[in-house]
């Protein structure tokens, strides 16, 4: 896929943070109603090569963690994966059911309890994607992943066989002294990846000041009206309100 380096642009990071903050404010209320008062961080976003993505999944312990997969059925195309690593999955079961999972791992009751939290976070992540591409995004019902083989089998599908980059959203939320981490992986087809990058580029173009050829802005210099094309509906980028890194509960 093309455009890998674009994801590290500060413009794109700001767009992701803004979309994440809006979506997370709704998740904070819903999760607090289920498990009590919490603090939640907006997702950090990174792009992983395919091999590193598989290593990341495996290193979190697929067998004893909670992992489900979803096909993207509207807006984009590809596969999404929600993972609560081993420690976080156990902490969630203890919080929700009042008991620690045994050595045999998380049972069906525990997985159902975690899925209740997962449903909230899944809706948050799809909302973030929908805001980024400015279209509705829908997912299929969940498919369990019991091992790395289950995931590699999905990746061998014709539409995903040539995927080289995976987008990872990482979120942490806290209740008392317990920290819980969730990982949401977007495995887009090439067309979906290009569409997402294109939408981000369009949003950047909408807010980035247009500087006439031959003119430059020095660090710390304010942009004068003569340097920016007049448009009363646009706000120059340096006047945007700072984006909070922490979502307040």
């Amino acid at each position: 896929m093309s455009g890998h380096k674009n994801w590290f642009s500060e413009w794109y990071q700001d767009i992701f943070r803004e979309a994440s903050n809006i979506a997370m404010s709704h998740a904070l209320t819903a999760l607090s109603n289920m498990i009590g008062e919490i603090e939640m961080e907006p997702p950090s976003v990174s792009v992983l090569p395919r091999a590193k993505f598989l290593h990341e999944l495996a290193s979190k312990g697929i067998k004893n963690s909670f992992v489900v997969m979803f096909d993207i059925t509207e807006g984009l195309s590809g596969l999404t994966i929600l993972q609560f690593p081993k420690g976080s999955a156990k902490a969630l079961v203890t919080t929700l059911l009042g008991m620690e999972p045994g050595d045999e791992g998380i049972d069906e009751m525990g997985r159902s309890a975690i899925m209740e939290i997962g449903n909230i976070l899944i809706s948050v992540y799809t909302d973030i994607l929908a805001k980024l591409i400015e279209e509705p995004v829908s997912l299929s019902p969940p498919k369990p992943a019991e091992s790395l083989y289950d995931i590699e089998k999905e990746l061998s599908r014709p539409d995903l066989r040539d995927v080289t980059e995976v987008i990872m959203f990482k979120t942490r939320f806290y209740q008392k002294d317990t920290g819980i981490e969730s990982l949401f992986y977007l495995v887009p087809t090439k067309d979906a990846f290009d569409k997402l990058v294109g939408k981000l580029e369009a949003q950047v173009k909408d807010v980035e000041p247009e500087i006439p050829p031959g003119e430059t802005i020095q660090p710390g210099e304010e942009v004068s009206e003569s340097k920016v094309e007049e448009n009363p509906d646009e706000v120059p980028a340096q006047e945007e309100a700072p984006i909070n890194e922490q979502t307040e509960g």
Side-chain angles (χ1 to χ4, degrees):
M1 294 180 188
S2 60
H4 183 109
K5 62 181 182 299
N6 292 340
W7 288 86
F8 300 97
S9 161
E10 187 61 30
W11 283 102
Y12 291 3
Q13 294 299 318
D14 285 346
I15 293 171
F16 270 111
R17 290 187 196 108
E18 185 171 3
S20 300
N21 283 336
I22 294 170
M24 280 298 168
S25 64
H26 301 294
L28 190 64
T29 300
L31 288 176
S32 295
N33 290 337
M34 290 184 66
I35 63 177
E37 185 176 351
I38 63 170
E39 295 180 8
M40 176 176 281
E41 298 177 2
S44 61
V45 183
S46 55
V47 175
L48 304 178
R50 183 184 182 115
K52 188 173 182 180
F53 150 65
L54 290 170
H55 175 76
E56 184 82 17
L57 267 172
S59 69
K60 302 296 183 182
I62 292 180
K63 184 176 180 181
N64 294 318
S65 63
F66 176 88
V67 184
V68 288
M69 304 176 290
F70 307 81
D71 289 321
I72 308 174
T73 58
E74 183 183 9
L76 296 169
S77 55
L79 181 72
T80 63
I81 300 168
L82 175 68
Q83 180 182 34
F84 288 101
K86 181 179 178 181
S88 295
K90 287 186 173 182
L92 270 178
V93 171
T94 301
T95 299
L96 295 168
L97 301 181
M99 63 180 77
E100 291 191 21
D103 294 336
E104 65 279 3
I106 301 170
D107 60 17
E108 192 60 35
M109 182 181 296
R111 294 183 70 84
S112 295
I114 296 175
M115 195 64 212
E116 291 298 314
I117 300 295
N119 284 334
I120 294 172
L121 292 176
I122 291 162
S123 67
V124 167
Y125 291 125
T126 51
D127 282 350
I128 292 171
L129 294 174
K131 292 180 189 304
L132 292 175
I133 69 170
E134 300 174 319
E135 295 178 28
V137 174
S138 300
L139 304 180
S140 70
K143 300 179 285 188
E146 304 291 344
S147 68
L148 193 61
Y149 171 77
D150 293 332
I151 295 168
E152 290 178 323
K153 184 178 178 181
E154 290 292 325
L155 294 181
S156 67
R157 292 168 11 190
D159 60 327
L160 299 178
R161 194 173 297 151
D162 297 329
V163 166
T164 59
E165 295 157 345
V166 176
I167 303 166
M168 181 178 74
F169 297 80
K170 182 185 294 185
T171 299
R172 290 184 62 83
F173 56 94
Y174 306 87
Q175 188 193 39
K176 299 177 182 177
D177 297 326
T178 303
I180 297 171
E181 181 179 78
S182 72
L183 299 164
F184 184 79
Y185 303 93
L186 171 62
V187 189
T189 62
K190 182 184 184 304
D191 288 344
F193 187 90
D194 290 344
K195 177 179 181 179
L196 188 49
V197 172
K199 288 288 188 178
L200 288 175
E201 289 176 341
Q203 291 183 53
V204 169
K205 185 176 181 181
D206 286 344
V207 298
E208 190 173 13
E210 295 184 12
I211 310 302
E215 294 192 25
T216 60
I217 297 177
Q218 300 300 322
E221 177 186 355
E222 293 187 1
V223 182
S224 65
E225 292 183 3
S226 63
K227 290 187 177 183
V228 182
E229 189 173 295
E230 291 188 12
N231 189 336
D233 295 327
E234 290 186 358
V235 179
Q238 57 268 43
E239 294 181 11
E240 289 183 325
I243 297 169
N244 294 330
E245 295 286 348
Q246 182 79 23
T247 302
E248 296 181 359

